[in-house]
Amino acid sequence: MLKKSITVTDNRNGKTYEYPVLRASRGPDVADIRTFYKDTGMFTYDPGFTSTASCESKITFIDGDKGELLYRGIEIENLANEYTYLEVCFLLLKGRLPDKKEALEFDLEIRHRSFVHEGLTNLIGSFPDNAHPMSILSSSVSALASFYYEHLDINNEAEYHEMAMRIIAKIPTLAAFAYRHSLGIPLIYPNISKSFSENFLYMMRAYPHDKLKITSEGELEIKQVEIDALDTIFTLHADHEQNASTTTVRGVASTGAHPYVAISAGISALWGRAHGGANESVIAQLEMIGDVKNIPKFIEKAKDKNDPFRLMGFGHRVYKNFDPRAKVLKKLQDRLKDEMKMDAKLLEIAHEIEQIALNDDYFISRNLYPNIDFYSGVVLYALKIPRNMFTPIFVIGRTVGWIAQWIEFKKDPLSKIARPRQLYTGK
Ligand code: ACO
């Protein structure tokens, strides 16, 4: 019988140490080395946490080799195709899908909580016009902790339910306000007769007199295909286990700070190009490439060790196979190609890069597949979402994941303040 432990030998003195192995319900088991320092006087070294499990979790599972992603045990393709984003939010928060009545109540509560305190509009108004919406969003979410401050009792289900619902409902409003402020145009308040995803497009696009379809071409109309596509994008981004921004949220939570401040920190972490900011960079890069004839030059740059250039939207720390979210988005992209006017030249460049990368030794040997940001960039572009709103849309989708992980952290009796050690090599 397999022993549920590992033995570590210190070859300097021949001493051995035994550590229990924790059984995972899926994926790799975990060596429990919590007493390693006490036993050996040594730290473990793992920059970027490539081999470190920082917590126990029951929310999301990824098998990066198979290209599998499950929320609460359910496959992402199934959720994206069969359920609305708000049903998926319910699933992530409560651990099971809602019945019809629960789904309706959840939806109505989100609609009614979508308004924000008027004071927040003053804060947003104080940003310079050219402020990036991510900067406004991170600041205004942090400010929520002042407008809705209360001590949360994690044993009180009603209190953290209220906190979760409030932030999920208000994030799209704050994101749309941030966008409209960056254009210097009047803010549009939520319309509770509209669904979560339609309301967000409405708050971004509507005129103050509440009319959407203003040109004869119907440019401002919100089409059902756009609402469905955005809802799918929110679902695909809803959670992704212990990624950089979620680890940030848990880290801030570990100090006892207010949950909205923790989410604000997560938003800042997400903004980087190596994480959620990549969707914005994908389109910037495709535009910079400009023509298929220029692709080989950029592929060579991406492969050059002495050039910091990277192909945006390629590679992933965990997926060493096709990202299952990218598969869903690729199908969505094909559907939008038929139903929306898409920039044919940009699509051609995207398609060509994808084909070259999938067949090039450099990318194959490093398992560099197109990731979610490669396709979400193209899909959001097709939906005529302004480029600076790509990452805020990622934020809207991911907020529920951050909250679910925050709650799990708070309820875990083994949670501790995040405090890694170091290998000191200075004077
Ligand atoms: N283009 C060219 N080469 C790449 C790329 C890329 N996009 N990504 C990784 N590589 C190469 C590295 O140079 C390295 O090569 P080497 O082994 O010869 O040194 C190898 O692939 C491994 O790369 P690492 O940086 O060690 O992988 P890591 O897991 O640390 O990073 C990351 C993953 C940050 C996503 C990286 O692939 C990247 O920068 N991609 C581009 C940005 C991007 O698309 N980010 C979105 C990620 S998805 C998300 O956050 C939602």
Side-chain angles (χ1 to χ4, degrees), residues 50 237 240 270 273-276 278 282 302-303 305 309-318 320 323 325 362-363 366 368 371-373 394 398:
T50 53
H237 287 92
H240 213 227
L270 190 84
R273 266 160 50 99
H275 194 8
V282 164
K303 289 157 63 171
K305 278 261 143 281
F309 179 85
R310 280 194 168 193
L311 216 48
M312 286 293 123
F314 281 81
H316 198 276
R317 170 62 63 77
V318 182
K320 301 303 168 198
D323 178 339
R325 303 167 302 172
Y362 174 92
F363 293 88
R366 290 169 180 76
L368 300 172
N371 58 44
I372 186 171
D373 291 314
F394 193 152
R398 181 55 56 85

Side-chain angles (χ1 to χ4, degrees), residues 265-280:
I267 293 173
S268 301
L270 190 84
W271 194 3
R273 266 160 50 99
H275 194 8
N279 55 13
E280 188 177 338

Side-chain angles (χ1 to χ4, degrees), residues 232 236 322-337 342 347 350-351 354-355 358 370-372 374-376 378-379:
T232 302
L236 297 176
F322 230 95
D323 178 339
R325 303 167 302 172
K327 273 193 203 159
V328 176
L329 279 178
K330 193 168 158 42
K331 279 197 197 135
L332 191 60
Q333 180 187 303
D334 293 341
R335 185 179 158 204
L336 289 173
K337 202 160 50 185
M342 281 178 85
L347 267 185
H351 178 73
E354 179 195 349
Q355 290 313 310
L358 288 175
N371 58 44
I372 186 171
F374 185 72
Y375 296 109
S376 71
V378 178
V379 167

Side-chain angles (χ1 to χ4, degrees), residues 44-143:
T44 56
Y45 183 60
D46 185 18
F49 314 122
T50 53
S51 298
T52 299
S54 61
C55 60
E56 182 184 334
S57 185
K58 292 185 169 58
I59 302 174
T60 292
F61 173 73
I62 304 172
D63 185 328
D65 295 324
K66 277 201 213 152
E68 188 180 55
L69 168 63
L70 313 173
Y71 294 163
R72 301 285 190 185
I74 305 177
E75 281 186 0
I76 190 68
E77 289 93 336
N78 181 4
L79 292 170
N81 294 330
E82 306 293 333
Y83 297 91
T84 65
Y85 170 67
L86 288 187
E87 287 170 319
V88 171
C89 287
F90 187 103
L91 169 73
L92 285 168
L93 291 170
K94 315 258 182 205
R96 62 174 176 84
L97 283 161
D99 60 27
K100 270 209 165 96
K101 183 168 169 280
E102 288 169 326
L104 181 66
E105 281 167 6
F106 192 88
D107 184 333
L108 289 178
E109 185 175 352
I110 291 287
R111 290 179 197 227
H112 285 102
R113 288 189 183 277
S114 58
F115 293 84
V116 299
H117 192 290
E118 279 296 311
L120 279 160
T121 62
N122 297 333
L123 174 80
I124 291 170
S126 68
F127 275 80
D129 284 353
N130 60 357
H132 194 289
M134 280 296 280
S135 160
I136 306 179
L137 194 52
S138 167
S139 306
S140 50
V141 168
S142 179

